[in-house]
Amino acid sequence: MGSGETARVSCVPAVPCWVSLMARDLEEAKGFYGPLLGWEFEAVPEHFGPYVHAVTGGEAVAGLGAAGGNWPMPVAWTSYFGTESADAAADAVRERGATLAVGPLASDAGRVAFAADPAGAVFGIWEGPLGRARRLDLMGAPVWIELRTPDPFAAALFYGEVFRWDGRDPERFEVHWEHDRVVLRAEGHSVAALAKEQAGGPAGTAPHWEVSFSVADTDRALVLAERLGGSALGPAFDSPYGRVARLQDPEGGRFAVISPKG
């Protein structure tokens, strides 16, 4: 992740507060996500290769990097949890039998690490400049991030221990059960959840954090995604949080769009 000159990003402890895509062809990714989500792009310094911030409404809402054609992993969005200490979070991951794949490493935005939870869902750890939760009224922003996993309760115990959910200021952070999900709330807004993988989801999908970006009209966004070279992973559907469509970009990166409820 980079530290843009004009569009600032903030690390919010205990919750997913940043998302990033490693694409094989960065220009192709920009050509797809830019028109679809109304993004402009801002190049930022990065130790690990070309990287840009996606900007909407003057705020950086996501990062896109170039992994190169020889990148062995599938193209995918990664959700990063904010933390006061990447080292402490990394130690907690190892102590609980999960996988710490990379890091913590120093970057221009702080310290980052990559891990997989006990069910195999990949996530990032980010220690950076602390700030408030992002605005949820920005079109094109990641407004809902949901773990799709066989056992959300076991997952909640794991993430709760790694990111110290207990004992945080209840005025700024809380965990509760809602709509058959473990829901994380930051500063009064539901921002992420852990849910059991349900029938109707993409067949054969391993446990993963699904990123949903805000759009004005989900059905129109689905049609536009297909025109831009992406594909739908099923029909659009109504959820407790808005109308959702699960999509795949031209390189196979999976994500969702949502028209949030008012």
Side-chain angles (χ1 to χ4, degrees):
M1 293 183 302
S3 54
E5 293 292 325
T6 59
R8 186 172 177 272
V9 297
S10 295
C11 175
V12 184
V15 298
C17 58
W18 184 250
V19 296
S20 187
L21 177 75
M22 292 303 291
R24 292 189 174 87
D25 187 325
L26 182 55
E27 292 305 312
E28 181 177 16
K30 289 164 62 178
F32 174 78
Y33 287 101
L36 179 65
L37 299 175
W39 287 348
E40 297 179 346
F41 298 98
E42 177 182 291
V44 294
E46 174 57 35
H47 293 309
F48 312 119
Y51 195 83
V52 298
H53 279 167
V55 179
T56 180
E59 293 193 21
V61 296
L64 291 83
N70 296 323
W71 179 248
M73 304 297 290
V75 171
W77 282 95
T78 299
S79 298
Y80 293 79
F81 279 79
T83 180
E84 296 89 347
S85 171
D87 292 298
D91 288 343
V93 166
R94 285 188 292 251
E95 290 166 2
R96 286 153 183 79
T99 302
L100 184 70
V102 178
L105 303 172
S107 81
D108 292 291
R111 290 172 59 74
V112 297
F114 299 93
D117 69 21
V122 174
F123 64 98
I125 296 167
W126 175 32
E127 174 190 344
L130 299 181
R132 311 287 290 188
R134 79 168 69 257
R135 289 166 49 197
L136 298 180
D137 60 343
L138 286 174
M139 288 294 102
V143 294
W144 189 248
I145 299 175
E146 186 166 282
L147 177 66
R148 314 293 301 177
T149 189
D151 191 339
F153 294 106
L157 287 173
F158 169 77
Y159 287 98
E161 291 173 343
V162 171
F163 295 105
R164 301 189 298 106
W165 288 353
D166 289 338
R168 291 188 177 271
D169 181 356
E171 294 296 318
R172 297 194 63 186
F173 176 81
E174 62 178 322
V175 183
H176 65 106
W177 180 250
E178 172 184 285
H179 300 306
D180 297 322
R181 295 161 169 84
V182 178
V183 175
L184 313 182
R185 290 176 62 84
E187 298 168 18
H189 299 285
S190 297
V191 295
L194 301 85
K196 187 176 180 63
E197 184 63 73
Q198 300 172 354
T205 301
H208 66 288
W209 283 94
E210 179 180 84
V211 181
S212 295
F213 297 98
S214 179
V215 294
D217 187 314
T218 294
D219 296 277
R220 289 184 179 179
L222 188 156
V223 172
L224 178 56
E226 292 179 329
R227 289 176 181 169
L228 292 167
S231 56
L233 297 174
F237 61 94
D238 294 316
S239 81
Y241 304 99
R243 188 159 177 80
V244 177
R246 293 190 171 120
L247 305 171
Q248 184 169 273
D249 70 26
E251 292 190 329
R254 293 183 172 189
F255 65 103
V257 293
I258 183 170
S259 316
K261 289 187 174 179

